[in-house]
């Protein structure tokens, strides 16, 4: 079993996380100032809290979704491949070699590569963003899957 994963701190997701924290720190004083100004003008506190929740919670959910969705790595074993999330490890998808017809791997202009498995019944998986896998490891994954007789399709240029 080969695990293709580079350390988490080498990915751009940490940049997204740090940027969102910095943005929150910079925007917080403005929000507090407007909150205090609205309180001094007689606006009901329940209205302000509800407004803050309807703005802050969706932003937090979107940032969390982006970070979790782009954190997959690949484990190649003798029986198949597993695509596992690096942040929440119980989010995983396993494919047996006998069920795989073709594997797409590539990059469509973004910062990270993706992998998509096409099963023998012509169903496509979601494209898993494998930013926790380096370019050299992507080539090793391709070589390993080719040795097991899997057709590989490379879209774009691997980064």
């Amino acid at each position: 079993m080969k695990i293709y994963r580079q350390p988490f701190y080498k990915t751009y997701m940490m940049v997204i996380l740090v940027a969102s924290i910095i943005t929150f720190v910079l925007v917080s004083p403005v929000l507090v100032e407007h909150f205090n100004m609205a309180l001094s003008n007689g606006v009901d506190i329940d209205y302000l809290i509800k407004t803050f929740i309807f703005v802050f919670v969706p932003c937090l959910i979107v940032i969390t979704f982006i970070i979790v969705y782009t954190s997959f790595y690949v484990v190649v074993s003798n029986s198949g491949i597993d695509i596992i999330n690096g942040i929440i490890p119980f989010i995983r998808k396993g494919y047996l070699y006998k069920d795989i017809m073709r594997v797409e791997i590539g990059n469509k202009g973004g910062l990270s590569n993706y992998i998509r498995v096409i099963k023998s019944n012509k169903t496509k998986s979601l494209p898993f963003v494998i930013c926790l896998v380096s370019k050299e490891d992507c080539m090793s994954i391709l070589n390993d899957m080719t040795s097991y007789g899997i057709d590989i399709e490379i879209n774009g240029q691997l980064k």
Side-chain angles (χ1 to χ4, degrees):
M1 177 184 314
K2 294 181 184 176
I3 299 174
Y4 294 102
R5 178 183 182 177
Q6 71 184 60
F8 185 72
Y9 63 87
K10 289 187 177 183
T11 63
Y12 71 94
M13 289 181 313
M14 292 304 289
V15 174
I16 292 173
L17 184 63
V18 169
S20 61
I21 290 171
I22 290 171
T23 304
F24 181 73
V25 167
L26 292 176
V27 171
S28 292
V30 175
L31 291 174
V32 169
E33 180 182 335
H34 285 284
F35 190 81
N36 289 332
M37 186 171 49
L39 281 177
S40 65
N41 288 335
V43 176
D44 190 21
I45 194 163
D46 291 339
Y47 172 76
L48 293 174
I49 291 173
K50 289 175 186 175
T51 305
F52 181 74
I53 287 173
F54 284 122
V55 170
F56 180 70
V57 171
C59 290
L60 188 64
I61 289 171
V62 167
I63 290 170
T64 304
F65 177 75
I66 289 170
I67 291 172
V68 169
Y69 180 73
T70 60
S71 311
F72 287 94
Y73 64 95
V74 179
V75 176
V76 178
S77 65
N78 292 333
S79 61
I81 61 171
D82 289 327
I83 302 170
I84 304 170
N85 192 294
I87 296 175
I88 307 171
F90 61 83
I91 298 177
R92 61 176 38 205
K93 186 69 178 169
Y95 299 97
L96 297 175
Y97 289 129
K98 66 179 181 173
D99 296 334
I100 299 173
M101 185 175 84
R102 185 180 62 194
V103 173
E104 282 182 25
I105 191 166
N107 189 313
K108 293 187 178 181
L111 295 173
S112 296
N113 299 321
Y114 74 93
I115 189 168
R116 175 182 277 172
V117 177
I118 293 96
K119 295 172 84 173
S120 56
N121 58 2
K122 305 278 186 186
T123 58
K124 290 184 177 181
S125 71
L126 290 174
F128 296 101
V129 180
I130 51 172
C131 70
L132 296 178
V133 179
S134 66
K135 179 182 177 181
E136 295 80 23
D137 286 343
C138 282
M139 299 310 278
S140 297
I141 291 169
L142 295 177
N143 293 336
D144 288 345
M145 283 196 255
T146 304
S147 68
Y148 287 109
I150 305 297
D151 291 333
I152 305 293
E153 180 181 333
I154 299 175
N155 292 330
Q157 185 177 10
L158 295 178
K159 293 184 179 184

